[in-house]
Amino acid sequence: MKYRYLGNSGLKITEICYGNWLTHGSQVEKETALACVRTALEEGITSFDTADVYANGAAEKILGKALQHERRESLEIFTKVYFPTGPGGANDSGLSRKHIMESIDASLIRLRTDYVDLYQAHRFDVETPLEETMQAFADVVSAGKALYIGVSEWTAAQIRAGHALAKELGVQLISSQPQYSMLWRVIEQDVVPTCAELGVSQICWSPMAQGVLSGKYQVDKKIPKQSRATDEKGAKMMQKFMREDIFAKVKELKPIAREIGLTQAQLAIAWVLQNPNVSAAIIGASRPEQIIQNVTASGVTIPPELMERIDEVLDEVIERNPERTASDQPRHRLS
């Protein structure tokens, strides 16, 4: 397993990060979830990403239990705050000082740790002054409850403003967690250049486009049982990729993957890692064997000519519009 620096910091993380959105606490049984974490550790993954909203805290609890006997200094644990937790009261969401301070304490209890390595703003909060949010994050770092801070699905302008405030407050905003894959490239025009300038790097979620790039979904074929598309939340996230024209183009990637001895899923993960501004690709799993297969993408170099062929194959179905980051953001706090 290869390591990369996270942003302009001295923190190294594994370039394959294990994430437990949609699986732990909801889609898979507890023992299977624990087995997946054990397998990730055995395969050399030391970086783990979660969020307080995943299964309303259950995902953090399971991850905390799975990691409780590991040497804490050998792990990099990331979590996030923004979306509604608890009963969904008026202050149970967003990036207000109240919600951040209460949420970090609750996350640490569920994760069974004294601190997280990275605390991330899960979305941008249009209802809270950015100064309030960044001061609260700075205080979380000063209290030793987080070592670094990051953001998720923020626009380039929002990242620039947040980074400037963090610098004034003496804390390091070092990461951005966007959706990024062969099919979803909305960060390439604005977010990536801005982050490269500021010393911020990407921890990318959905490198396989919710599993579509694995090739498991095909034209005129039934949706595989127990796949993400059978989960209510997963199916909603996948709608933009569940198209016959996309399925047909993805099928054409199979011989490209075969040329360098990879599966289509491994090719998709390795493709994300070719971007020099990417520090890690997040993978999830509903079975331990999926982790064993997908960590093979670590350390792979895709030849330039194959990168060009991938672009040629997928060109007509790639989403590149940088405005999608802003348009997909919540217009108000959710409850």
Side-chain angles (χ1 to χ4, degrees), residues 80-122:
K80 299 182 283 291
V81 58
Y82 171 83
F83 287 106
T85 52
N91 290 300
D92 286 342
S93 65
L95 298 177
S96 68
R97 181 177 183 84
K98 176 177 173 61
H99 187 55
I100 289 173
M101 291 302 185
E102 292 171 348
S103 295
I104 185 61
D105 287 342
S107 287
L108 294 179
I109 291 170
R110 289 190 289 263
L111 289 165
R112 306 188 188 195
T113 183
D114 295 329
Y115 70 96
V116 291
D117 297 271
L118 181 67
Y119 200 39
Q120 304 159 97
H122 210 160

Side-chain angles (χ1 to χ4, degrees), residues 2-8 11-17 78 174-182 184-188 191-193 195-197 199-207 268-283 297-300 307:
K2 302 292 184 180
Y3 280 79
R4 298 186 180 190
Y5 286 103
L6 185 56
N8 188 24
L11 177 66
K12 290 183 177 181
I13 65 174
T14 48
E15 62 181 16
I16 305 291
C17 174
F78 318 149
I174 60 172
S175 69
S176 162
Q177 187 175 131
Q179 181 176 185
Y180 185 51
S181 70
M182 293 179 186
W184 193 260
R185 307 191 193 182
V186 303
I187 64 170
E188 289 183 339
V191 170
V192 166
C195 287
E197 173 195 341
V200 173
S201 57
Q202 315 301 318
I203 302 171
C204 301
W205 62 275
S206 196
I269 297 166
W271 183 91
V272 166
L273 293 172
Q274 305 309 295
N275 189 315
N277 191 235
V278 170
S279 289
I282 299 173
I283 64 168
S298 177
V300 170
M307 293 290 284

Side-chain angles (χ1 to χ4, degrees), residues 19 58 116 128 131 143 147 155 158 162 166 199 210 214 231 235:
V116 291
T128 300
E131 292 80 2
L147 304 185
T155 67
Q158 291 164 349
Q210 303 294 310
S214 70
D231 177 89

